[in-house]
């Protein structure tokens, strides 16, 4: 890293693998900024519904993506000034987000906006294509994996803790459908960057993954 570049750490992987928790943890450890790129796609899905845009309206969705009125304030997501944090966190919005995310024009329209998050003292970027497309020169690239079944179990546990009743069969199916779209789209499919460090989290709890990721940042000289 030369002294003029802002260090970026990317965390990619499929839905429900725990990227968000690891990203939050590393953000606290480093004091860097955080980009939750999935929240941008979720906000676009929310905006599409609000503006009654069809999911095959490529021109309309790209136009909305170009000037998406989304803002991040601490842990809240604002859409045109309205706090939509819980509204965009639903499985339904996630499903629509993964459908708008397959459109190359939409991804292109959101690229600059994501790159702009790279500011001093550094950035932790969480998503699907952070290391492969948005920040190809990132200092450290992590790619988390776990089977769809393990991810669905974790999601159900998380929803139960929030008092939400969840059906494991349905959640597993939703996760597999999203995986299918994320893996097989032509624009920025979900895949590790060539220089990514792959962490299989199937047999690790969240603390163990946090420790592993933190150790890597010490080894790379990012934490001192
Ligand atoms: O990460 P999260 O589940 O919030 O993302 C919602 C959807 O947005 C994902 O299923 C994926 O299809 C899409 N996405 C993406 N590229 C990113 C982040 C999210 O395609 N960098």
């Amino acid at each position: 890293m030369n002294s003029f570049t802002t260090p970026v750490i990317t965390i990619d992987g499929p839905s429900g693998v725990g990227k968000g928790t690891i990203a939050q943890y590393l953000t606290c450890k480093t004091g860097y900024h955080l980009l939750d790129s999935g929240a941008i796609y979720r906000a676009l899905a929310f905006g599409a519904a609000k503006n009654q845009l069809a999911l095959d309206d490529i021109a309309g969705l790209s136009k909305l993506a170009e000037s998406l009125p989304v803002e991040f304030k601490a842990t809240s997501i604002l859409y045109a000034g309205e706090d939509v944090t819980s509204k965009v966190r639903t499985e339904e919005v996630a499903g629509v987000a993964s459908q708008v995310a397959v459109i190359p024009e939409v991804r292109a329209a959101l690229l600059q906006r994501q790159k702009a998050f790279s500011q001093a003292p550094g950035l932790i970027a969480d998503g699907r294509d952070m290391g492969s497309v948005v920040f190809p020169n990132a200092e450290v690239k992590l790619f988390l994996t776990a089977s769809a079944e393990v991810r669905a179990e974790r999601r159900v546990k998380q929803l139960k803790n929030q008092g939400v009743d969840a059906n494991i069969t349905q959640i597993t199916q939703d996760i597999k459908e999203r995986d299918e779209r994320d893996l097989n789209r032509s624009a920025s499919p979900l895949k590790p960057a060539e220089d990514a460090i792959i962490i299989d989290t199937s047999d690790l709890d969240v603390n163990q993954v946090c420790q592993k990721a933190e150790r890597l940042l010490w080894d790379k000289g990012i934490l001192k």
Side-chain angles (χ1 to χ4, degrees), residues 4 9 17 19 28 35 38 41 53 71 78 90 98 141 162 168 177 186-187 198 202 211 224:
F4 299 109
I9 293 151
V17 77
K19 302 181 299 288
C28 289
L35 165 60
Y41 286 93
L53 293 175
E71 278 176 276
L78 306 185
T90 64
S98 86
K141 299 179 183 179
Q162 294 164 6
I168 183 86
E177 273 173 23
S186 61
I198 298 178
S202 302
Q211 299 311 318
K224 292 185 182 100

Side-chain angles (χ1 to χ4, degrees), residues 24-122:
Q24 288 280 0
Y25 179 81
L26 295 183
T27 302
C28 289
K29 285 284 159 190
T30 54
Y32 288 1
H33 299 284
L34 174 67
L35 165 60
D36 172 1
S37 61
I40 297 182
Y41 286 93
R42 285 171 187 258
L44 179 62
F46 176 84
K50 199 176 165 83
N51 291 289
Q52 298 181 336
L53 293 175
L55 296 183
D56 59 0
D57 179 359
I58 295 176
L61 290 167
S62 311
K63 192 158 175 262
L64 178 61
E66 271 163 27
S67 54
L68 194 67
V70 67
E71 278 176 276
F72 297 93
K73 289 253 162 76
T75 54
S76 301
I77 304 166
L78 306 185
Y79 187 97
E82 177 194 349
D83 188 336
V84 295
T85 316
S86 51
K87 286 188 187 163
V88 301
R89 288 280 167 230
T90 64
E91 297 299 305
E92 192 191 341
V93 170
V96 178
S98 86
Q99 292 176 63
V100 295
V102 303
I103 304 169
E105 291 85 345
V106 161
R107 302 197 75 87
L110 293 175
L111 192 60
Q112 250 341 97
R113 177 178 212 125
Q114 295 174 85
K115 283 181 182 289
F117 277 79
S118 168
Q119 285 181 17

